[in-house]
Amino acid sequence: MVGSMGRVGACGDNAAMESFFSLLQKNVLDRRTWTTRDELRIANVTWIERTYHRRRRQDALGRLTPIEYETIMTTPATQAA
């Protein structure tokens, strides 16, 4: 991860990370009380892999989500199999 290179007070610098951590807190951390760190770690990884990465639009995929990209790129014969 590369540190912020903007000037003090540049509001766009950390917007992406703040948005991510806000979603993580709202969707995982604040949902219940966690008894162990391992339980919380598993919940975080599960949320990131199953929810966040599948919905997030990615520049490398032409601003499509991974699910949209797979739907477009998969041929009908492959879908039937």
Side-chain angles (χ1 to χ4, degrees):
M1 185 179 296
V2 178
S4 173
M5 299 301 289
R7 291 190 269 208
V8 174
C11 63
D13 268 358
N14 297 316
M17 290 311 306
E18 288 178 10
S19 173
F20 169 78
F21 284 116
S22 171
L23 287 171
L24 180 66
Q25 184 170 358
K26 194 173 7 174
N27 291 306
V28 179
L29 301 177
D30 293 344
R31 293 280 173 141
R32 61 181 216 142
T33 303
W34 303 96
T35 55
T36 65
R37 285 181 181 233
D38 282 338
E39 192 177 63
L40 177 59
R41 182 184 57 79
I42 291 168
N44 284 338
V45 170
T46 302
W47 179 78
I48 291 168
E49 293 298 325
R50 289 188 183 167
T51 307
Y52 182 73
H53 283 314
R54 293 179 188 223
R55 285 194 219 157
R56 185 174 62 97
R57 298 191 181 280
Q58 299 180 15
D59 285 332
L61 302 178
R63 300 296 300 152
L64 298 172
T65 65
I67 302 298
E68 292 169 340
Y69 183 79
E70 285 180 15
T71 302
I72 291 169
M73 298 309 285
T74 304
T75 62
T78 308
Q79 289 176 348

